[in-house]
């Protein structure tokens, strides 16, 4: 199975920034879609941003203009640059990797807390 590891979470003040990283241990071309999801206390997990191997991206409406997903295909790694953070961005952020044949693998999650 693919191994997915996230890092970069932490505690920041409103208006601050964080950059999350996610690496998947797999051969190049075996992973198509990689994406970031988050889950706030008492709420369902939701898509934040995703990226296909070919470069197509998708963002949640709540983060457009503030978050940017990027991808390094040579390392099976994605990043999430989060700017102008708000308290409602607080939650556990999870990385998911989808292989070309349909298998999904989730990371362990990294905590993001936005508070003054």
């Amino acid at each position: 199975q693919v191994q997915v590891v996230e890092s970069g979470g932490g505690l920041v003040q409103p208006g601050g920034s964080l950059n999350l990283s996610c690496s998947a241990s797999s051969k190049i071309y075996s992973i198509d879609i990689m994406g970031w999801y988050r889950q706030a206390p008492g709420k369902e997990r939701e898509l934040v941003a995703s990226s296909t191997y070919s470069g197509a991206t998708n963002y949640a409406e709540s983060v457009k203009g503030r978050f940017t997903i990027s991808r390094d295909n040579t390392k099976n790694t994605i990043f999430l640059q989060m700017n102008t953070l708000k308290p409602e961005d607080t939650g556990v952020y999870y990385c998911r990797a989808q292989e070309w044949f349909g298998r999904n693998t989730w990371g362990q999650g990294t905590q993001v807390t936005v508070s003054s």
Side-chain angles (χ1 to χ4, degrees):
Q1 256 264 4
V2 172
Q3 300 295 310
V4 177
V5 179
E6 309 102 326
S7 63
L11 173 64
V12 296
Q13 298 184 70
S17 299
L18 282 174
N19 190 284
L20 307 183
S21 300
C22 171
S23 295
S25 61
S26 181
K27 298 286 188 179
I28 294 176
Y29 301 127
S30 69
I31 298 175
D32 182 12
I33 304 171
M34 295 185 71
W36 290 99
Y37 294 73
R38 69 186 180 190
Q39 187 165 21
K43 297 184 178 180
E44 296 182 343
R45 188 174 300 184
E46 64 176 351
L47 172 70
V48 177
S50 64
S51 176
T52 68
Y53 185 88
S54 61
T57 58
N58 187 36
Y59 293 91
E61 288 296 325
S62 61
V63 307
K64 286 183 177 179
R66 298 189 299 121
F67 293 8
T68 302
I69 188 170
S70 59
R71 182 165 179 166
D72 183 347
N73 288 331
T74 65
K75 300 179 180 179
N76 288 321
T77 300
I78 58 169
F79 306 90
L80 186 67
Q81 179 63 49
M82 305 186 292
N83 298 321
T84 319
L85 284 161
K86 305 174 180 179
E88 50 263 44
D89 294 318
T90 294
V92 179
Y93 284 66
Y94 298 91
C95 180
R96 186 180 75 171
Q98 181 179 339
E99 294 167 88
W100 66 269
F101 53 87
R103 181 171 63 187
N104 292 294
T105 304
W106 291 88
Q108 80 286 351
T110 184
Q111 177 71 44
V112 172
T113 303
V114 185
S115 177
S116 59

